[in-house]
Amino acid sequence: MNTQQYYEDLKLLARQVRAEHGLTSPRVLLGDLRRIYAHYGIEVDEWPYRFRNLRGAFINDDLGATVMLAKGLPQDPMVFTMAHELKHYFRDRHLGISYCDQSNLKKSLEIGAEIFAAELLFPDRDFISHMSAMRIRQEQCLPKTLIELKRKTGTTLSYAGLAIKAERLGYAPSHSLTTIKTWRRLEALYSPPVRRPTPARFQI
Amino acid sequence: MDLLEHIAATIKDLRVNYNSGEGLSQDALAKQLKVAPNTISRWETGTYCPSVTDVERISRFFGVSMMAFMPPEMIGKEEDENLKALLRTARQLHPADLEELQKYAEFRRARGIYQGKTRPKAGRKGGKHK
């Protein structure tokens, strides 16, 4: 199996997991992943101490399969890390330990885990149908499009994940979205103005 | 020595020999660990067994491995090797992260001992070869 086939196989696996566990939208929550973990008997530990770069680790030995999650991850990165570690459970259990930080992100096992996680949270075909519903054609996807997509679907896949997907599927030119580091600022910029509720008037 | 006795003796030993033999009172240790003063006494006499999370906090305070609280016969050479092998594969990590991951791996191993999840050793009573 070449690398491309390996990645496609992981996407297929992610779609199977979604189907088996009733995940029907791109909004996959921590509770969904906890339920999937419980189904496979994977223990989850949220380690109450901080790491510099490490987001999570998967350990499988005579004590069973355990995923350690770093403290302080916001909800979306936490969901993504849990999805990422789930791939290690399915495919890399024999390795004993897999960890996820900046130093090993270019290894095919880790790239595979990222692809699996992105497909588990937001399958490519769902992304394509949303793009089509939004009338976005090839190379037309702008930062604003992804902000609108995230708002509309409530997806827990991060902007970075959505940007990779949009470029890989040809909806945006290479490096046009994945180089953006200021998604939160852009999100605020493109958000509809917040209407402050008019203060209730006291009736005398 | 069983697990409870070993933990009790280790806590006392670490407390009494704290800071190159200067020692630390039970009250002072209780303050550091944010527990009631008589809890330390109960841990040291084996009246109560500290939870695995308490043992982790105690080991962190004294700067020792959690494995020091586990009776050597319960750790087993094979488990010890497993732990080292696991961490060898993670040596590319930032040193601080590797150290924290090691602490987590020890916590996990200690929890396994607490829960009686250790693998039966070859040659034990009731084994195949008597």
Side-chain angles (χ1 to χ4, degrees), chain A residues 133-170:
Chain A
M134 291 165 80
R135 299 183 191 286
I136 303 295
R137 293 188 190 153
Q138 293 285 292
E139 307 228 331
Q140 282 187 345
C141 183
L142 300 170
K144 191 181 173 184
T145 318
L146 295 187
I147 290 164
E148 206 182 314
L149 178 68
K150 195 162 168 75
R151 194 182 305 139
K152 213 169 106 183
T153 58
T155 181
T156 38
L157 182 62
S158 66
Y159 284 115
L162 291 171
I164 293 171
K165 209 176 263 287
E167 287 185 10
R168 192 172 43 75
L169 295 172

Coordinates of all heavy atoms in Angstrom, one line a residue, chain A residues 133-170:
Chain A
A133 N -23.5 24.0 -1.9 CA -24.7 24.7 -1.5 C -24.4 26.2 -1.3 O -25.3 27.1 -1.5 CB -25.2 24.2 -0.1
M134 N -23.2 26.6 -1.0 CA -22.8 28.0 -0.9 C -22.4 28.6 -2.2 O -21.9 29.7 -2.2 CB -21.7 28.1 0.2 CG -22.1 27.8 1.6 SD -20.6 27.5 2.7 CE -20.2 29.2 3.0
R135 N -22.5 27.8 -3.3 CA -22.1 28.2 -4.6 C -20.7 28.6 -4.7 O -20.3 29.6 -5.4 CB -23.0 29.3 -5.1 CG -24.5 28.9 -5.2 CD -25.4 30.0 -5.7 NE -26.8 29.7 -5.5 CZ -27.5 28.8 -6.2 NH1 -26.9 28.1 -7.2 NH2 -28.7 28.6 -6.0
I136 N -19.8 27.9 -4.0 CA -18.4 28.1 -4.1 C -17.8 27.1 -5.1 O -17.9 25.9 -4.9 CB -17.7 28.0 -2.7 CG1 -18.3 28.9 -1.7 CG2 -16.2 28.2 -2.8 CD1 -18.2 30.4 -2.0
R137 N -17.1 27.7 -6.1 CA -16.5 26.8 -7.1 C -15.0 26.7 -6.8 O -14.5 27.3 -5.9 CB -16.7 27.3 -8.5 CG -18.2 27.3 -8.9 CD -18.4 27.6 -10.3 NE -19.8 27.8 -10.6 CZ -20.3 28.5 -11.5 NH1 -19.5 29.2 -12.3 NH2 -21.6 28.6 -11.7
Q138 N -14.3 25.9 -7.6 CA -12.9 25.7 -7.5 C -12.1 27.0 -7.4 O -12.4 27.9 -8.2 CB -12.3 24.8 -8.7 CG -12.9 23.4 -8.7 CD -12.2 22.5 -7.6 OE1 -11.1 22.2 -7.6 NE2 -13.0 22.1 -6.6
E139 N -11.2 27.1 -6.5 CA -10.3 28.3 -6.3 C -11.1 29.5 -5.9 O -10.6 30.6 -6.1 CB -9.5 28.5 -7.5 CG -8.7 27.3 -8.0 CD -7.2 27.6 -8.3 OE1 -6.9 28.7 -8.7 OE2 -6.4 26.6 -8.1
Q140 N -12.3 29.4 -5.4 CA -13.1 30.6 -5.1 C -13.3 30.8 -3.5 O -13.9 31.7 -3.1 CB -14.5 30.5 -5.7 CG -14.6 30.8 -7.1 CD -16.0 30.8 -7.6 OE1 -16.9 30.3 -6.9 NE2 -16.2 31.3 -8.8
C141 N -12.7 29.8 -2.8 CA -13.0 29.8 -1.4 C -12.1 30.9 -0.7 O -10.9 30.9 -0.9 CB -12.7 28.5 -0.8 SG -13.0 28.4 1.0
L142 N -12.7 31.8 0.0 CA -12.0 32.9 0.7 C -12.0 32.6 2.2 O -12.9 31.8 2.7 CB -12.6 34.2 0.4 CG -12.7 34.6 -1.1 CD1 -13.5 35.8 -1.3 CD2 -11.3 34.9 -1.6
P143 N -11.2 33.3 3.0 CA -11.3 33.2 4.4 C -12.8 33.4 4.9 O -13.3 32.6 5.8 CB -10.4 34.3 5.0 CG -9.4 34.5 3.9 CD -10.1 34.3 2.6
K144 N -13.4 34.4 4.3 CA -14.8 34.7 4.7 C -15.7 33.4 4.5 O -16.6 33.2 5.3 CB -15.3 35.8 3.8 CG -16.6 36.4 4.3 CD -17.0 37.5 3.3 CE -18.4 38.0 3.7 NZ -18.9 39.0 2.8
T145 N -15.4 32.7 3.4 CA -16.3 31.5 3.1 C -16.1 30.5 4.3 O -17.2 29.9 4.7 CB -15.7 30.8 1.8 OG1 -15.4 31.8 0.9 CG2 -16.7 29.8 1.3
L146 N -14.9 30.3 4.8 CA -14.7 29.3 5.8 C -15.3 29.8 7.1 O -15.9 29.0 7.9 CB -13.2 29.0 6.0 CG -12.5 28.3 4.8 CD1 -11.1 27.9 5.2 CD2 -13.3 27.0 4.4
I147 N -15.3 31.1 7.4 CA -15.9 31.6 8.6 C -17.4 31.4 8.5 O -18.0 31.0 9.5 CB -15.5 33.1 8.7 CG1 -14.0 33.2 9.1 CG2 -16.3 33.8 9.8 CD1 -13.4 34.6 8.9
E148 N -18.0 31.6 7.4 CA -19.4 31.4 7.2 C -19.7 29.9 7.3 O -20.7 29.6 8.0 CB -19.8 31.9 5.8 CG -21.2 32.3 5.7 CD -21.5 32.8 4.2 OE1 -20.7 33.5 3.7 OE2 -22.6 32.3 3.7
L149 N -18.9 29.1 6.8 CA -19.1 27.6 6.8 C -19.1 27.2 8.3 O -19.9 26.4 8.7 CB -18.0 26.9 6.0 CG -18.1 25.4 6.0 CD1 -19.3 24.9 5.3 CD2 -16.8 24.8 5.4
K150 N -18.1 27.7 9.0 CA -18.0 27.3 10.4 C -19.2 27.7 11.2 O -19.7 27.0 12.1 CB -16.7 27.8 11.0 CG -16.3 27.1 12.4 CD -14.8 27.3 12.7 CE -14.5 27.0 14.1 NZ -14.4 25.6 14.4
R151 N -19.6 28.9 11.0 CA -20.8 29.5 11.7 C -22.0 28.7 11.3 O -22.8 28.4 12.2 CB -20.9 31.0 11.3 CG -21.9 31.7 12.3 CD -22.1 33.1 11.9 NE -20.8 33.8 11.8 CZ -20.5 34.7 10.8 NH1 -21.4 35.0 9.9 NH2 -19.4 35.3 10.8
K152 N -22.2 28.4 10.1 CA -23.4 27.7 9.6 C -23.5 26.3 10.1 O -24.6 25.8 10.5 CB -23.3 27.7 8.1 CG -24.7 27.8 7.4 CD -24.5 28.0 5.9 CE -24.8 26.8 5.2 NZ -24.6 26.9 3.7
T153 N -22.3 25.6 10.1 CA -22.4 24.2 10.5 C -22.1 23.9 11.9 O -22.4 22.9 12.5 CB -21.4 23.4 9.6 OG1 -20.1 23.9 9.9 CG2 -21.6 23.4 8.2
G154 N -21.4 24.9 12.6 CA -21.0 24.7 14.0 C -19.9 23.6 14.1 O -19.7 23.0 15.1
T155 N -19.2 23.4 13.0 CA -18.2 22.3 13.0 C -17.1 22.5 14.0 O -16.7 23.7 14.3 CB -17.5 22.1 11.6 OG1 -16.6 21.1 11.7 CG2 -16.8 23.4 11.1
T156 N -16.7 21.4 14.6 CA -15.6 21.5 15.6 C -14.2 21.3 15.0 O -13.2 21.3 15.7 CB -15.8 20.4 16.7 OG1 -16.3 19.3 16.1 CG2 -16.7 20.9 17.8
L157 N -14.2 21.2 13.6 CA -12.9 21.2 12.9 C -12.4 22.7 12.9 O -13.2 23.6 12.6 CB -13.1 20.6 11.5 CG -11.8 20.5 10.7 CD1 -10.8 19.6 11.3 CD2 -12.1 20.0 9.3
S158 N -11.2 22.8 13.3 CA -10.6 24.2 13.4 C -10.5 24.9 12.0 O -10.6 24.2 11.0 CB -9.2 24.1 14.0 OG -8.4 23.4 13.1
Y159 N -10.3 26.2 12.0 CA -10.1 26.9 10.8 C -8.8 26.4 10.1 O -8.8 26.3 8.8 CB -9.9 28.4 11.1 CG -11.2 29.1 11.4 CD1 -11.4 29.7 12.6 CD2 -12.2 29.2 10.4 CE1 -12.6 30.3 12.9 CE2 -13.4 29.8 10.7 CZ -13.6 30.4 11.9 OH -14.8 31.0 12.2
A160 N -7.8 26.0 10.8 CA -6.6 25.5 10.2 C -7.0 24.2 9.4 O -6.5 23.9 8.3 CB -5.5 25.2 11.2
G161 N -7.8 23.3 10.1 CA -8.2 22.1 9.4 C -9.1 22.3 8.2 O -8.9 21.7 7.2
L162 N -10.0 23.3 8.3 CA -10.9 23.7 7.2 C -10.0 24.2 6.0 O -10.3 23.9 4.9 CB -11.9 24.7 7.6 CG -13.0 24.2 8.6 CD1 -13.8 25.4 9.1 CD2 -13.9 23.2 7.9
A163 N -9.0 25.0 6.4 CA -8.2 25.6 5.3 C -7.4 24.6 4.6 O -7.4 24.6 3.3 CB -7.2 26.6 6.0
I164 N -6.9 23.6 5.3 CA -6.1 22.5 4.6 C -7.1 21.7 3.7 O -6.8 21.4 2.5 CB -5.5 21.5 5.7 CG1 -4.4 22.2 6.5 CG2 -5.0 20.2 5.0 CD1 -3.9 21.4 7.7
K165 N -8.3 21.5 4.2 CA -9.3 20.7 3.4 C -9.6 21.5 2.1 O -9.7 21.0 1.0 CB -10.5 20.5 4.2 CG -11.3 19.3 3.9 CD -12.5 19.0 4.8 CE -12.2 18.1 5.9 NZ -12.1 16.7 5.5
A166 N -9.9 22.8 2.3 CA -10.3 23.7 1.1 C -9.2 23.7 0.1 O -9.5 23.6 -1.1 CB -10.6 25.1 1.6
E167 N -8.0 23.8 0.5 CA -6.9 23.8 -0.5 C -6.7 22.5 -1.1 O -6.5 22.4 -2.3 CB -5.6 24.3 0.2 CG -5.6 25.8 0.6 CD -4.2 26.2 1.1 OE1 -3.3 25.5 1.1 OE2 -4.2 27.4 1.7
R168 N -6.7 21.4 -0.3 CA -6.5 20.1 -0.9 C -7.6 19.7 -1.9 O -7.3 19.0 -2.8 CB -6.5 19.1 0.3 CG -5.9 17.7 -0.1 CD -5.7 16.8 1.2 NE -6.8 16.9 2.1 CZ -8.0 16.3 2.0 NH1 -8.3 15.6 0.9 NH2 -8.9 16.4 3.0
L169 N -8.8 20.1 -1.6 CA -9.9 19.8 -2.5 C -10.0 20.8 -3.7 O -11.0 20.7 -4.5 CB -11.2 19.7 -1.7 CG -11.3 18.6 -0.7 CD1 -12.6 18.7 0.1 CD2 -11.3 17.2 -1.4
G170 N -9.1 21.7 -3.7 CA -9.1 22.6 -4.9 C -10.0 23.8 -4.8 O -10.2 24.6 -5.8

